[in-house]
Amino acid sequence: MVLPGVSYAQQLRRLPLQEAIMLAHKHSNQLSADSLQYRIAQTHVSQASANALPQINLSSSYQRLSNNITPFSISLPSGSFQLNQQILNQSFNAVQLTQLLFSGGKLTYDKQAFKKEAAAAKSDYEKNVLELDHQVTDLWFNLYNATASQKIILANIEALSKKRDDLETFRVQGLVLDNDVLKIELSITNLRSNLADISSLAGSLNYNLCLTTGIDPTTTIEIPDDYLHTLTAIEPLQNYISSALTKRAELKSYKYRSEAAAYRIKAVRADYFPTINLIGNYNYDKPNQRVIPSVDKFNYSAYAGVNLAWRLSSFYTNRTRVSESKLVFTQLNNNLQQTTENIQIEVNTKYLEYKKTLEKITLAQTELEQATENFRVEQNKLNAQTTTPTDFLDANTKMLQSQLNLATAKANVELAYRKLIKSTGETAN
């Protein structure tokens, strides 16, 4: 049933793997969030650098005084004068400069810690890029397998349908029994049932891949048949482990955060030291307090010097902060060691999986050759009426299974290789 005015036509799109990965990168909200997190971490480095720059403050005020105060006068034999001249309009303006000279290295350590944390955020981003690549690759190859299985089953249904038509002709001629034709039809029905299951799986994979790459979910993705590459020879296991321990983003992230934690310990310890600042001040006031007696005009004054501030209570209040920083550092190092072991286990698992798929593809090729020859023999026997449809269908089932095994083995071996390379912290080309 089709609703009036509503179109359900689906768009067909050919989608190579590399294009799918590129589209997923552009569409991923997670990568956008990780990129923003990295940029935020970089601003922390800039802020730490700004803290070492001279701090300049400008203040300005204007006051209008009431005229109800009688100026204090002093009388002398030579005459009298006012001690506090009444100046009703007053203005005070000042520029203050403070330049940090010494703080126990706190600013330097904070800046280095922020740099390491920014590098860790970048490693987190690279890790999530690799995870997204793996997610897209897994979906793509599973859809490849489902599509290839559909084509093989459809071809087998077509071949069996022709054989059923031949047997139907023989049945009409009285050369075969009705049950022989029925067995072929039952086999076709079973294949159609299997095809329905695979089509449902392919539809689910197609939808998930569309969502991941940002393609319209109503699009039917066409997986190129000629995509699979030549098998890559396997290297010694230690080569992959060494590469993983050098390149895995998780390890880099923990190392950077561990280094940042070490700088944090130094920064907290810096609170034990005094803070020394170079200070300067320029005033332009009316009246200027340094002018006695006060006069109703602007005068400037200035000073420069050094200021020392030492919070002595930090010698007993700062201990818990130092202890906490040390515990964080130890925790990160423990996580680093555990992650290192987990990565070695993962690489070994992916290595054995790839090695197994290399062996299975050779067996699948041999199995298909044998099953194809067996089918040819049984088909000739059936045509010559020297065997039963049961033996023929059994041979056909074995050949079909061999075709499916080889098709999936070709995709699985490349997928296993990509998983192995991913476990080393890289993406296969």
Side-chain angles (χ1 to χ4, degrees):
M1 297 178 63
V2 180
L3 296 177
V6 180
S7 174
Y8 291 92
Q10 288 188 329
Q11 178 184 358
L12 183 65
R13 175 165 181 171
R14 181 181 174 87
L15 187 66
L17 177 58
Q18 293 304 322
E19 183 181 353
I21 292 175
M22 179 189 67
L23 291 174
H25 286 182
K26 293 180 179 179
H27 178 70
S28 173
N29 292 323
Q30 181 62 51
L31 291 188
S32 297
D34 293 336
S35 178
L36 289 174
Q37 189 64 37
Y38 171 56
R39 290 165 60 184
I40 291 172
Q42 286 181 310
T43 63
H44 292 163
V45 178
S46 300
Q47 292 172 15
S49 299
N51 290 335
L53 298 176
Q55 306 299 311
I56 301 175
N57 295 319
L58 172 65
S59 62
S60 180
S61 65
Y62 167 78
Q63 299 175 356
R64 172 68 182 182
L65 303 184
S66 62
N67 59 0
N68 61 321
I69 303 300
T70 302
F72 181 76
S73 298
I74 297 178
S75 298
L76 297 174
S78 59
S80 62
F81 65 92
Q82 293 181 343
L83 186 62
N84 58 332
Q85 180 182 349
Q86 183 141 294
I87 302 174
L88 302 182
N89 294 305
Q90 299 187 358
S91 179
F92 302 94
N93 308 283
V95 177
Q96 298 173 329
L97 181 144
T98 303
Q99 174 62 59
L100 179 67
L101 298 179
F102 177 78
S103 62
K106 183 177 180 62
L107 290 185
T108 300
Y109 297 140
D110 281 340
K111 182 179 179 180
Q112 292 300 323
F114 283 129
K115 282 184 176 180
K116 296 299 180 180
E117 289 171 356
K122 184 179 181 181
S123 295
D124 290 341
Y125 173 79
E126 293 172 350
K127 170 183 175 293
N128 289 332
V129 168
L130 199 62
E131 290 293 340
L132 180 60
D133 290 353
H134 172 66
Q135 179 185 354
V136 174
T137 300
D138 197 52
L139 282 172
W140 194 92
F141 273 98
N142 285 330
L143 183 56
Y144 178 95
N145 279 337
T147 304
S149 298
Q150 282 179 311
K151 293 177 180 179
I152 292 172
I153 292 177
L154 283 171
N156 195 257
I157 290 175
E158 183 179 357
L160 284 183
S161 297
K162 291 180 180 179
K163 181 57 63 179
R164 178 198 58 196
D165 295 340
D166 293 340
L167 288 181
E168 177 64 22
T169 301
F170 293 152
R171 186 192 67 79
V172 172
Q173 296 174 356
L175 299 177
V176 297
L177 301 175
D178 293 345
N179 191 47
D180 293 335
V181 178
L182 182 60
K183 289 179 181 179
I184 299 290
E185 292 178 343
L186 179 60
S187 182
I188 293 174
T189 301
N190 289 334
L191 286 176
R192 292 190 184 280
S193 177
N194 293 336
L195 181 62
D197 292 337
I198 294 176
S199 298
S200 176
L201 174 62
S204 176
L205 293 169
N206 188 97
Y207 183 83
N208 293 343
L209 186 56
C210 284
L211 287 183
T212 305
T213 55
I215 298 175
D216 185 351
T218 62
T219 302
T220 298
I221 294 178
E222 179 186 0
I223 301 295
D225 289 330
D226 56 349
Y227 179 79
L228 299 182
H229 299 110
T230 305
L231 299 182
T232 304
I234 195 167
E235 299 178 14
L237 173 61
Q238 191 57 44
N239 290 3
Y240 297 105
I241 292 179
S242 299
S243 179
L245 297 181
T246 303
K247 300 176 181 178
R248 281 291 286 262
E250 300 96 315
L251 293 181
K252 292 181 181 179
S253 179
Y254 274 120
K255 288 177 181 178
Y256 287 135
R257 287 193 167 90
S258 178
E259 292 171 357
Y263 281 117
R264 291 295 183 198
I265 294 174
K266 295 180 180 180
V268 173
R269 284 175 173 169
D271 288 338
Y272 290 128
F273 296 93
T275 300
I276 302 176
N277 291 293
L278 174 66
I279 57 175
N281 192 84
Y282 176 87
N283 295 89
Y284 191 64
D285 302 332
K286 184 180 76 168
N288 193 305
Q289 302 298 322
R290 294 178 64 186
V291 177
I292 301 176
S294 300
V295 294
D296 188 11
K297 67 176 183 179
F298 283 98
N299 286 285
Y300 85 90
S301 61
Y303 69 83
V306 178
N307 171 266
L308 183 146
W310 198 347
R311 191 174 61 182
L312 298 178
S313 60
S314 63
F315 282 100
Y316 57 85
T317 61
N318 203 40
R319 293 176 183 175
T320 55
R321 295 178 59 210
V322 173
S323 298
E324 180 185 3
S325 299
K326 288 181 178 180
L327 291 174
V328 171
F329 177 75
T330 302
Q331 182 183 42
L332 287 170
N333 281 332
N334 290 340
N335 291 340
L336 174 61
Q337 296 301 322
Q338 185 61 53
T339 302
T340 300
E341 294 178 5
N342 293 340
I343 286 176
Q344 289 175 309
I345 294 173
E346 180 185 350
V347 173
N348 181 66
T349 301
K350 301 304 180 185
Y351 178 84
L352 295 177
E353 183 67 24
Y354 179 54
K355 190 175 181 181
K356 180 182 70 175
T357 56
L358 287 175
E359 296 172 355
K360 290 184 71 172
I361 196 171
T362 303
L363 295 174
Q365 289 171 338
T366 303
E367 179 187 8
L368 179 59
E369 292 173 0
Q370 295 171 344
T372 302
E373 177 60 21
N374 181 55
F375 174 78
R376 185 189 67 80
V377 172
E378 293 297 331
Q379 187 178 41
N380 290 337
K381 288 182 178 180
L382 183 64
N383 292 337
Q385 302 296 307
T386 59
T387 189
T388 64
T390 301
D391 293 335
F392 167 77
L393 290 174
D394 182 60
N396 178 77
T397 300
K398 291 179 180 178
M399 184 182 70
L400 173 62
Q401 189 60 53
S402 299
Q403 291 172 335
L404 294 173
N405 289 343
L406 181 59
T408 55
K410 288 180 178 179
N412 288 342
V413 72
E414 183 164 348
L415 180 58
Y417 175 72
R418 288 178 175 275
K419 288 181 178 180
L420 174 60
I421 297 302
K422 182 258 179 185
S423 70
T424 66
E426 295 183 304
T427 300
N429 297 324

